Amino acid sequence: MTTDFERTPGWLDWYAGPSRPAYRLPEGAVDAHCHVFGPGEEFPYAPERKYTPCDASKEQLFALRDHLGFTRNVIVQATCHGADNAAMLDALRASGGLARGVATLRPDVTDAEIRALHEAGVRGVRFNFVKRLVDAAPQQDLRDIAEKIAPYGWHVVVYFEAADLPGLREFLLSIPVPLVVDHMGRPDVTKDPEGPEFEAFLDFLRARPDIWCKVTCPERLTVDGPPALDGERAAYRDVVPFARRVVEEFPDRVLWGTDWPHPNLTGHMPDDGLLVDFVPHIAPTPELRRRLLVDNPTRLYWPEAGRTLS
Ligand code: 0GY
């Protein structure tokens, strides 16, 4: 076990000074998947964590939001903070209503605690099934949590890898609230985007009209590596056909976010400006981009404001 002051070996610092995207984000765009980490001295990392990140504060996140041209953030609880949502809540409170949150809960959470989280801006709970990040939770615990959040209109964010979908599919489809899938269920992008594995994922999205998908994390999924600055700020090309299929088939149920500060990347740390430039490659029309970046996340996280929010 590492201490708060020893980072996991191989961990890279987040990319300071990202470029300004060539693609100009539409007014009201939401970064619908990002994190805050610590600072560890104020918000200690969880004893059960599988990695220790570098600190990544709310001030740094809000500065990135403004630099890239986003209006709002959805801050997702990461496993290194376990079920202690304090750092995320602190960021929500400091955001002046410009951030919503996704929490991690224990099954014994009380209704009063959920109500307080809702008032602070939490709108979802995350179930993480990625084995390198968490020990498996009993499905009954997850069912209990889903039932407790249902009256608040929250959704469940699920993070799993493509190989685990067949075993999880039935359980996930039985969860009685909307689902949001992180990072397209982590497809193996060396496989055919029209092949059986990704088709099984699309079939999962087709199974219920309230399953949403984050078409995020080309920097995690790529095997070709980061884009070369070849004059057109090239996208993560091997990931594009996967994300584009999802955007085109489910234009009203897709979300996008940076995943800043990119936990657990050891190969390369992405330039968030270049990540934003991935978006026009996967959402090729202004209408698709408006839905992906503005309408869909606003409907899910700020439904009271609808499209009048600017
Ligand atoms: C992500 C991805 C990762 C980490 C976590 O909660 C987490 O620690 O989700 C990952 O390592 O793939 O979206 O933050």
Side-chain angles (χ1 to χ4, degrees):
M1 176 57 64
T2 50
T3 70
D4 282 345
F5 306 102
E6 275 173 52
R7 274 193 276 138
T8 301
W11 176 277
L12 302 176
D13 280 339
W14 49 275
Y15 194 102
S19 62
R20 209 169 279 285
Y23 166 56
R24 192 158 167 227
L25 289 162
E27 184 62 35
V30 179
D31 178 350
H33 188 99
C34 52
H35 309 284
V36 287
F37 293 150
E41 293 206 7
E42 192 179 354
F43 301 108
Y45 298 108
E48 73 274 19
R49 69 191 179 279
K50 305 283 189 197
Y51 64 90
T52 303
C54 58
D55 289 339
S57 71
K58 58 182 184 286
E59 291 84 3
Q60 288 159 332
L61 176 64
F62 299 154
L64 181 78
R65 174 197 68 198
D66 296 345
H67 173 78
L68 297 176
F70 285 103
T71 305
R72 296 183 175 76
N73 295 106
V74 179
I75 306 177
V76 176
Q77 176 76 356
T79 56
C80 56
H81 276 300
D84 177 352
N85 296 290
M88 185 267 288
L89 291 170
D90 174 65
L92 297 191
R93 292 196 183 99
S95 75
L98 294 181
R100 295 284 197 237
V102 173
T104 297
L105 301 181
R106 295 212 169 89
D108 61 357
V109 65
T110 66
D111 188 58
E113 288 167 335
I114 296 175
R115 183 179 300 275
L117 291 169
H118 189 86
E119 278 162 16
V122 174
R123 295 293 181 268
V125 63
R126 193 176 194 210
F127 294 170
N128 201 319
F129 300 94
V130 177
K131 296 177 189 87
R132 71 186 157 79
L133 292 172
V134 281
D135 297 326
Q139 290 191 350
Q140 190 53 49
D141 286 2
L142 302 179
R143 281 186 212 288
D144 291 347
I145 293 168
E147 274 169 29
K148 288 183 185 188
I149 63 159
Y152 291 87
W154 290 14
H155 55 269
V156 172
V157 172
V158 291
Y159 190 22
F160 57 81
E161 297 185 316
D164 294 323
L165 178 59
L168 285 170
R169 182 186 154 105
E170 197 183 332
F171 168 67
L172 295 177
L173 291 178
S174 76
I175 294 175
V177 297
L179 303 176
V180 178
V181 183
D182 278 344
H183 315 334
M184 299 185 279
R186 293 200 62 125
D188 175 349
V189 301
T190 63
K191 294 185 177 166
D192 181 358
E194 315 266 340
E197 191 173 271
F198 201 58
E199 202 49 53
F201 177 67
L202 296 175
D203 213 52
F204 172 68
L205 297 180
R206 290 175 195 127
R208 275 179 26 185
D210 61 348
I211 306 181
W212 302 59
C213 181
K214 292 181 198 161
V215 284
T216 38
C217 280
E219 74 286 5
R220 284 183 197 286
L221 302 173
T222 185
V223 290
D224 289 350
L229 279 171
D230 64 358
E232 55 142 344
R233 297 171 65 90
Y236 290 83
R237 287 199 176 97
D238 51 348
V239 188
V240 168
F242 293 84
R244 192 160 163 166
R245 277 202 82 189
V246 181
V247 171
E248 289 182 339
E249 183 169 346
F250 306 98
D252 293 318
R253 305 196 238 152
V254 282
L255 304 168
W256 195 82
T258 57
D259 195 30
W260 186 89
H262 313 290
N264 283 317
L265 284 190
T266 50
H268 79 283
M269 218 8 111
D271 169 346
D272 293 282
L274 286 175
L275 274 179
V276 170
D277 284 342
F278 175 69
V279 171
H281 295 268
I282 64 170
T285 68
E287 170 68 15
L288 286 172
R289 293 194 283 274
R290 187 175 52 76
R291 293 197 211 178
L292 172 67
L293 296 163
V294 184
D295 295 355
N296 298 345
T298 303
R299 203 163 73 251
L300 192 59
Y301 288 98
W302 285 268
E304 67 286 359
R307 289 181 59 185
T308 57
L309 205 62
S310 65

